[in-house]
Amino acid sequence: MISILRNREIRVLFTLMIGISAIGIILSAIINPVSGIIMFIFSSSLIFCTILFTSKRYKQIAKLSRYLRCIRNGEHSLDIRDNEEGELSILKNEIYKFTLMLSKQGEFLKKDKERLAEAISDISHQLKTPLTSIIVMTDLLSQHNLKPEKRMEFTKKIEVQLERMEWLLTSLLKLSKIDAGAVTFKTDKVLVSELIEKAMNPLLIPIELKQQDLVIEGDQRASFIGDFNWTIEAIINITKNCIEHTQNQGTISIFFEENPLYTEIKISDSGRGISREDLPRIFKRFYKGKNANEGSVGIGLAMAKSIIDNQNGHISVKSKENQGTQFSVKFYKKRK
């Protein structure tokens, strides 16, 4: 009772009610003493009921204030919802929904920070090896008695390491942007035959160097809704992996088709295959299987998976050791 009198509007309300009631009681008593007594009883009852219900309402408001203070201190597990009728219950439910949304945003920001810290850690770790090599070879180049052919060799090695660092940084930044949701994928109609032709251009030289056969077959009308350039990046990374794990004079095959449910691109090789224990992990970032090349950092397939997943797609792999590997990329027509 005393606490609600801190509110100015309550003090004014009670003053008016008591004043009006007192005037009514006095006038009634002057006209008729019995009427004055009845007026006193009804006025007192009315004031008592008003105090009772107002006090109850303000207790609920005070409870909401305590709840908000708890939320501010990080206690998001409290629940103030109720199923009663009235504006106060609606307000409680709306505040609960709002605090729940704030809680989820807080968790998202926390995970975002963790991903950022992890990405920075990954980049630092991956740059350590080429940087160490460059420092060592720079030190060797500073020797005055170094032979010209050795000087040329070390310079070439530094160039290779710098190119590797550039590729690594570019790839990691792209992957970090995709993971952070900072990439907006286009939703254009992509003709698969054009996509494959464009993706194969930078890979023709390594295929030729290894004297591998490239077989491309598929429905020329096959298409899907997606981002042309980002999907090229994914197809290049998958095919590059097949080329690297296939021996000289092996075969790289690409087949594509469209059906009412999805558009599928199959990329196969006749290489040494992926071991059973490596198979579930090959799309993890920086995972290198036991058959991985020396220069591999294990990022190409992780990036391909992120690109495909973000376009309502799915990538899977089948492989048998010494028989080859087949990647299947599906772009679904309806959201999964």
Side-chain angles (χ1 to χ4, degrees):
M1 167 64 187
I2 295 173
S3 60
I4 65 170
L5 293 177
R6 290 181 303 186
N7 301 285
R8 186 173 176 275
E9 71 275 11
I10 297 298
R11 291 199 301 270
V12 172
L13 175 66
F14 287 172
T15 303
L16 287 173
M17 288 178 68
I18 292 170
I20 293 169
S21 297
I23 293 169
I25 291 167
I26 292 169
L27 290 175
S28 297
I30 292 170
I31 297 169
N32 188 325
V34 177
S35 299
I37 293 170
I38 295 172
M39 185 70 181
F40 174 77
I41 293 171
F42 276 98
S43 298
S44 300
S45 301
L46 184 64
I47 292 171
F48 176 76
C49 289
T50 304
I51 291 172
L52 187 68
F53 283 100
T54 305
S55 176
K56 186 180 177 184
R57 184 177 297 117
Y58 272 79
K59 279 182 181 175
Q60 293 291 324
I61 295 172
K63 187 179 174 184
L64 281 176
S65 298
R66 287 196 298 275
Y67 172 73
L68 290 173
R69 280 197 294 275
C70 291
I71 294 296
R72 191 181 61 193
N73 293 330
E75 293 181 41
H76 298 288
S77 58
L78 296 175
D79 191 348
I80 57 165
R81 290 175 295 175
D82 62 40
N83 295 319
E84 294 180 9
E85 293 181 352
E87 295 300 324
L88 200 57
S89 290
I90 294 172
L91 178 62
K92 285 180 184 177
N93 291 334
E94 291 300 321
I95 289 176
Y96 177 75
K97 289 177 192 172
F98 185 69
T99 53
L100 200 64
M101 184 185 72
L102 286 178
S103 171
K104 287 182 178 176
Q105 284 183 345
E107 287 175 11
F108 178 77
L109 287 173
K110 187 180 175 185
K111 286 181 181 174
D112 205 31
K113 284 182 180 176
E114 288 173 355
R115 279 200 298 266
L116 180 63
E118 189 181 345
I120 291 172
S121 172
D122 288 342
I123 292 171
S124 306
H125 179 73
Q126 295 298 325
L127 289 177
K128 199 176 288 180
T129 304
L131 269 175
T132 305
S133 299
I134 290 172
I135 291 169
V136 170
M137 280 181 277
T138 306
D139 187 47
L140 292 171
L141 280 173
S142 64
Q143 295 177 5
H144 298 293
N145 57 349
L146 190 68
K147 294 179 180 177
E149 58 269 24
K150 279 289 179 188
R151 191 177 297 278
M152 185 65 74
E153 180 188 338
F154 292 149
T155 305
K156 185 66 182 172
K157 284 183 177 177
I158 288 175
E159 284 179 6
V160 170
Q161 292 299 336
L162 286 173
E163 286 172 3
R164 176 180 157 84
M165 285 173 64
E166 184 185 14
W167 174 84
L168 191 58
L169 278 172
T170 306
S171 301
L172 285 171
L173 287 173
K174 283 180 184 174
L175 190 55
S176 298
K177 282 174 71 177
I178 295 170
D179 289 348
V183 173
T184 304
F185 289 92
K186 293 180 182 176
T187 51
D188 299 330
K189 182 179 179 181
V190 178
L191 201 59
V192 181
S193 57
E194 288 182 9
L195 176 85
I196 299 299
E197 184 183 352
K198 189 86 173 177
M200 289 305 106
N201 279 340
L203 300 175
L204 291 177
I205 292 176
I207 288 173
E208 188 178 344
L209 288 174
K210 295 189 82 170
Q211 299 179 322
Q212 294 169 336
D213 287 331
L214 176 63
V215 180
I216 301 174
E217 294 176 339
D219 180 359
Q220 296 300 306
R221 297 167 298 176
S223 65
F224 65 93
I225 300 300
D227 190 298
F228 188 79
N229 291 321
W230 275 108
T231 312
I232 284 177
E233 185 90 29
I235 298 297
I236 287 176
N237 279 305
I238 297 168
T239 313
K240 189 167 173 280
N241 186 277
C242 290
I243 295 168
E244 289 173 354
H245 290 84
T246 301
Q247 69 282 9
N248 290 354
Q249 300 179 342
T251 303
I252 308 295
S253 304
I254 299 176
F255 174 77
F256 50 90
E257 63 178 355
E258 181 179 357
N259 62 41
L261 296 178
Y262 53 79
T263 299
E264 184 176 21
I265 303 171
K266 291 179 182 174
I267 303 171
S268 312
D269 66 54
S270 60
R272 53 183 179 265
I274 303 168
S275 67
R276 186 175 293 180
E277 58 268 29
D278 286 336
L279 210 53
R281 303 178 192 144
I282 60 167
F283 295 114
K284 288 185 179 178
R285 196 185 302 187
F286 302 120
Y287 183 77
K288 290 188 284 186
K290 64 181 183 183
N291 293 328
N293 292 333
E294 189 180 344
S296 172
V297 292
I299 197 171
L301 291 180
M303 189 190 297
K305 186 177 188 312
S306 289
I307 292 170
I308 292 161
D309 286 349
N310 277 281
Q311 296 187 88
N312 195 33
H314 177 71
I315 182 170
S316 58
V317 60
K318 292 187 291 186
S319 185
K320 286 187 179 177
E321 287 192 81
N322 302 316
Q323 292 186 30
T325 302
Q326 182 184 81
F327 291 91
S328 169
V329 177
K330 292 178 181 174
F331 293 100
Y332 292 92
K333 296 185 185 296
K334 289 187 179 179
R335 302 299 301 179
K336 288 188 288 184

